[in-house]
Amino acid sequence: MIQIQQIPVLQDNYIYLIHETESGETAVVDPAVAEPVLTTLAENNWQLTYILNTHHHADHIGGNRALKAATQCRIIGSKADAKRIPEIDIALQNNETITLGKYTLKMIECSGHTLGHIAFYLPEANALFCGDTLFSMGCGRLFEGSAKQMWQSLNTFKQLPLDTLIYCAHEYSLANAKFALTIEPNNTQLINTVEQFSQLRANKLPTVPTSLHQELATNPFLRANSAEIRSTLNLQAATELEVFTELRKRKDVF
Ligand code: ZN
Ligand code: FE
């Protein structure tokens, strides 16, 4: 059985621990810092097997060295970005897999936020660990990649089963919602979600993970076909990529 534990750290980051009960193998996704990971491992009596890094930004790799020194775990990241992942041991190419006990984690390339950004997909748990690529009601900023690359990456995620859970690396939902509401103010699912998420945040509860199904209904960056979005942007006849590109531009200055 797979157990996933969410650790909120820093301002708004989430670190995820993935534990496979039979083998005892445990992975941590994007350890921004080491200390809370070590504490959670100790509380559960878990041994760290792997660090999984989605990309090279400090708030995703900051705990690499200390965790490796403390646990002798192995560090897994993108082959394309191996030079920027501290102490990487296993460099994966697109669609390559690693195992956690009897379960398989598949690496999915998703450049855009950075070049060499990757996600980890665990089908048995319906779980996608997507770092800073897809957020609830938003997507990552384009620091290195093009709008086209990000668009393609998000389209890859769209092919996954609808009940896939989106374990993104930041609690950005309410800030993203403010922008989404200016773009698609009559989307009732969006309005309902914002209400529900506002209550969760008021009680200091996470809004993450959401599901692909939920994001397809509320996330403007996955909804370039929406008539309302196209009308807001005055891009009725544009391609989906053009709509997406304009959305990303507007969000950058929102
Ligand atoms: Zn980042
Ligand atoms: Fe980040």
Side-chain angles (χ1 to χ4, degrees), residues 12-13 30 54-55 57-60 113 117 131-132 135 169-170 172:
D12 49 35
N13 276 75
D30 285 349
T54 62
H55 66 296
H57 284 158
D59 61 319
H60 299 256
H113 177 68
H117 193 301
D132 289 354
F135 295 119
H170 291 274
Y172 286 162

Side-chain angles (χ1 to χ4, degrees), residues 7-8 12 25 28 47 50 62 65 85-86 135 152 179 193 230-231 238 243:
I7 314 174
D12 49 35
E25 291 198 317
V28 64
Q47 308 285 329
Y50 297 119
R65 285 179 208 281
I85 303 294
F135 295 119
Q152 282 166 346
F179 173 74
T193 302
R230 285 171 171 263
S231 138
V243 172

Side-chain angles (χ1 to χ4, degrees), residues 111-130:
S111 283
H113 177 68
T114 63
L115 294 175
H117 193 301
I118 61 175
F120 295 92
Y121 178 49
L122 178 55
E124 281 84 359
N126 288 324
L128 179 71
F129 300 90
C130 56

Side-chain angles (χ1 to χ4, degrees), residues 178-191:
K178 279 191 191 138
F179 173 74
L181 283 169
T182 66
I183 298 295
E184 206 174 14
N186 298 309
N187 179 337
T188 39
Q189 273 216 60
L190 174 61
I191 294 164

Side-chain angles (χ1 to χ4, degrees), residues 83-133:
K83 287 202 183 99
R84 300 194 291 185
I85 303 294
E87 307 216 19
I88 189 168
D89 297 293
I90 303 170
L92 298 178
Q93 286 178 291
N94 196 24
N95 292 322
E96 283 187 335
T97 58
I98 55 145
T99 57
L100 202 64
K102 61 181 177 189
Y103 299 94
T104 297
L105 277 150
K106 184 166 110 175
M107 184 275 241
I108 301 176
E109 230 171 56
C110 50
S111 283
H113 177 68
T114 63
L115 294 175
H117 193 301
I118 61 175
F120 295 92
Y121 178 49
L122 178 55
E124 281 84 359
N126 288 324
L128 179 71
F129 300 90
C130 56
D132 289 354
T133 297

Side-chain angles (χ1 to χ4, degrees), residues 6-16 29-30 32 54-55 57-61 113 117 129-141 143 166-176 197 201 206-210 215:
Q6 182 172 30
I7 314 174
V9 299
L10 307 180
Q11 193 76 343
D12 49 35
N13 276 75
Y14 288 125
I15 298 175
Y16 299 102
V29 184
D30 285 349
T54 62
H55 66 296
H57 284 158
D59 61 319
H60 299 256
I61 53 99
H113 177 68
H117 193 301
F129 300 90
C130 56
D132 289 354
T133 297
L134 176 61
F135 295 119
S136 179
M137 295 175 274
C139 75
R141 273 178 195 270
F143 284 119
I166 308 297
Y167 288 89
C168 54
H170 291 274
E171 178 62 61
Y172 286 162
S173 307
L174 289 187
N176 287 339
F197 281 15
R201 293 311 292 153
T207 65
V208 174
T210 61
E215 292 311 315

